[in-house]
Amino acid sequence: MRIERDTMGEIEVPDEALWGAQTQRAIANFPVSGTTLPPPLVIALAQIKEACALANKTTGALEPDLADAIANAARQVQTGDYSAHFPLDVFQTGSGTSTNMNMNEVLARLATQALSRPVHPNDHVNASQSSNDVFPSAIHLAAHNELQARLRPAFRELVHTLDTKAVEFTQIVKSGRTHLMDATPVTLGQEFSGYAQQIRRAWQRIDSVQSRLTELPLGGTAVGTGVNTTSAFRRAVYDHLPGMTEAENHFEAHGARDSLVELSGQLRAAAVSLYKIANDIRWMGSGPRAGLREIRIPDLQPGSSIMPGKVNPVICESVRQVCAQVIGNDATIAFAGSQGDFELNTMLPVIAHNLLESIHLLTTVTTLFATKCISGIEPDEETLRSYAEGSPSVVTPLNRYLGYEEAAAIAKQALAESRSIRDVVIARGHVDRGTITLAQLDEALDVLAMTRPPA
């Protein structure tokens, strides 16, 4: 152990630790969950620190060699090699001050080692900054990074996979379903085209938040007034954060986290879409005897510890659980977002944790869904067509010939007697009376034609 000092006095710190006194106090104060803040946030915070060091070099607030040493240390942290030196619990001080100081202390120690002279975590690393503008800026930057680098490609892959299946299944007719009851026919391809569009729209909604997500409170320091910084710093720091812009109004940007709440809401909407798709596929693959058995989902693992040969739709189940978690995360974020008291929201770490977890979970499970489930789906064409042709709802096109009430009577008779609609229409004498011709009857009961609206 070694002795470190801060404004509260001396404290012992493990000799191998890069952090200092304030981090050590936070370790002692917050042994809550055992869950640390996610690596993308630590990386984004290091990116902010690098930008601040370089801006301070530009403005003369820091000597060039000192600023470069801090910036180099921040780049080292961005590699992820120092993750063990960021041990603080998610459920810490609500402003994220503990994690900001954790970063300041680690960078100060790395810079000190590089320069062989003292670098101070507050006076140097934290120059022109406050936890109150740096930490929320890091959340915004981390979310932006993860959306663009990970979630967007994952969604694109799922859309491509669904589109491919939509084309593959273009001619495969099946019974539509409303209220879980038979409805007029659709094609399997039409259903999959709808799924692809859901994911396209999901990304469009998420992407629509970007202009607000990339607007940062950085430069407003403690309460939005920019105390202890300069307009020159604010101009310079954004030169080192491509794609990020300074808040239009620092008091909104400090006191509220509305754009993060908005983003979480769009992630929740994406989860709702994914849930619907996974649930439909789970239903269509149900069986193999007592379910719908319309499609075959790839077999991935034994489904029961007691029932030999049982196989379950495990990827669909994983997707549905992720969706439940994302919806729950959104509830937490929405409540935490409401806790902006005057010039600061003091639930920033839990917002960061839940938001980045939602992005991570949606990214990973979407990729699994595309590669391990959707891409391997095979239709049972015989079952699909038999359901479509056997559905009483195929009587619907006969309305214009026989009327709604007679068509309903035909459907009920066909169902009760386990006969086809065609047989019942003929048996009731409609062809003999000339109400409808055989050609008209066969054309009206063409289930594939029913899936395409008239030109």
Side-chain angles (χ1 to χ4, degrees):
M1 304 293 284
R2 68 177 191 270
I3 301 297
E4 290 281 346
R5 296 170 181 80
D6 62 10
T7 58
M8 297 186 73
E10 295 183 345
I11 188 170
E12 288 189 332
V13 175
D15 199 40
E16 73 279 4
L18 293 177
W19 64 76
Q22 292 199 43
T23 303
Q24 192 65 40
R25 295 190 195 281
I27 291 171
N29 288 336
F30 306 115
V32 181
S33 68
T35 300
T36 57
L37 284 163
L41 181 68
V42 174
I43 291 170
L45 186 54
Q47 289 177 302
I48 297 283
K49 293 295 177 179
E50 178 187 356
C52 290
L54 295 175
N56 281 321
K57 175 182 176 180
T58 299
T59 63
L62 289 177
E63 297 171 12
D65 62 337
L66 184 55
D68 287 340
I70 295 169
N72 287 335
R75 283 190 284 272
Q76 289 177 263
V77 169
Q78 290 168 44
T79 65
D81 293 341
Y82 294 92
S83 58
H85 297 275
F86 296 91
L88 297 186
D89 202 279
V90 168
F91 300 98
Q92 55 172 273
T93 176
S95 60
T97 298
S98 297
T99 292
N100 184 44
M101 284 308 304
N102 185 181
M103 179 65 71
N104 290 339
E105 289 176 341
V106 168
L107 297 184
R109 191 162 183 84
L110 289 173
T112 295
Q113 292 170 353
L115 290 175
S116 299
R117 63 183 174 92
V119 178
H120 197 278
N122 295 84
D123 295 340
H124 300 140
V125 182
N126 203 61
S128 307
Q129 305 154 60
S130 164
S131 300
N132 297 354
D133 66 340
V134 165
F135 193 79
S137 294
I139 303 173
H140 283 238
L141 181 57
H144 172 75
N145 291 344
E146 291 296 285
L147 290 176
Q148 296 301 321
R150 303 189 69 236
L151 187 61
R152 184 176 188 172
F155 272 30
R156 280 180 170 172
E157 181 179 15
L158 181 56
V159 168
H160 174 74
T161 307
L162 289 166
D163 276 336
T164 300
K165 288 297 178 181
V167 173
E168 181 183 333
F169 300 153
T170 298
Q171 299 297 316
I172 300 176
V173 70
K174 62 172 301 231
S175 177
R177 291 187 180 87
T178 58
H179 305 270
L180 287 182
M181 307 299 284
D182 297 353
T184 52
V186 297
T187 68
L188 191 60
Q190 287 170 332
E191 286 186 333
F192 274 72
S193 74
Y195 302 151
Q197 184 70 353
Q198 278 188 277
I199 303 304
R200 279 194 199 89
R201 292 292 192 212
W203 176 255
Q204 288 169 5
R205 293 185 192 99
I206 292 167
D207 197 42
S208 70
V209 184
Q210 292 289 346
S211 62
R212 293 171 291 285
L213 183 65
T214 55
E215 190 177 305
L216 307 183
L218 188 63
T221 63
V223 294
T225 60
V227 64
N228 278 10
T229 190
T230 64
S231 58
F233 170 84
R234 291 198 298 273
R235 287 192 299 272
V237 75
Y238 286 96
D239 290 339
H240 301 288
L241 293 169
M244 301 295 113
T245 60
E246 185 177 1
E248 183 178 337
N249 184 301
H250 274 283
F251 304 101
E252 180 271 338
H254 275 62
R257 298 270 61 84
D258 294 346
S259 59
L260 299 181
V261 173
E262 181 185 12
L263 173 58
S264 177
Q266 301 299 6
L267 295 173
R268 179 195 62 200
V272 169
S273 294
L274 272 173
Y275 190 98
K276 186 261 195 288
I277 298 165
N279 203 45
D280 278 4
I281 288 170
R282 187 176 69 104
W283 270 105
M284 284 190 280
S286 61
R289 291 289 184 268
L292 295 180
R293 63 184 188 280
E294 293 181 329
I295 61 173
R296 290 180 289 273
I297 301 172
D299 293 348
L300 296 178
Q301 63 186 59
S304 173
S305 61
I306 190 173
M307 293 176 280
K310 192 173 191 294
V311 179
N312 299 329
V314 292
I315 298 299
C316 292
E317 291 170 358
S318 178
V319 171
R320 293 164 76 234
Q321 290 176 81
V322 163
C323 294
Q325 184 65 54
V326 171
I327 292 167
N329 284 352
D330 178 65
T332 298
I333 291 167
F335 178 78
S338 73
Q339 302 306 298
D341 302 317
F342 300 104
E343 278 68 61
L344 183 67
N345 182 296
T346 53
M347 288 201 178
L348 296 175
V350 76
I351 291 175
H353 168 70
N354 282 27
L355 186 66
L356 293 171
E357 180 182 69
S358 290
I359 296 171
H360 172 73
L361 290 174
L362 287 172
T363 297
T364 53
V365 87
T366 296
T367 301
L368 288 175
F369 196 29
T371 57
K372 290 185 175 290
C373 181
I374 303 295
S375 64
I377 287 175
E378 297 176 352
D380 186 326
E381 295 189 44
E382 183 178 345
T383 297
L384 286 160
R385 191 167 190 94
S386 69
Y387 285 164
E389 293 177 342
S391 168
S393 294
V394 300
V395 77
T396 301
L398 298 179
N399 288 355
R400 65 182 183 272
Y401 297 106
L402 309 179
Y404 181 92
E405 292 186 5
E406 175 60 10
I410 291 168
K412 290 178 181 179
Q413 183 179 342
L415 190 60
E417 298 175 3
S418 297
R419 297 169 67 185
S420 72
I421 296 293
R422 187 180 190 277
D423 287 348
V424 173
V425 170
I426 294 171
R428 289 170 78 96
H430 289 296
V431 174
D432 291 341
R433 290 194 298 273
T435 312
I436 187 171
T437 68
L438 275 176
Q440 289 171 327
L441 179 61
D442 289 338
E443 182 182 8
L445 296 180
D446 182 342
V447 290
L448 185 58
M450 288 183 205
T451 67
R452 302 186 178 105

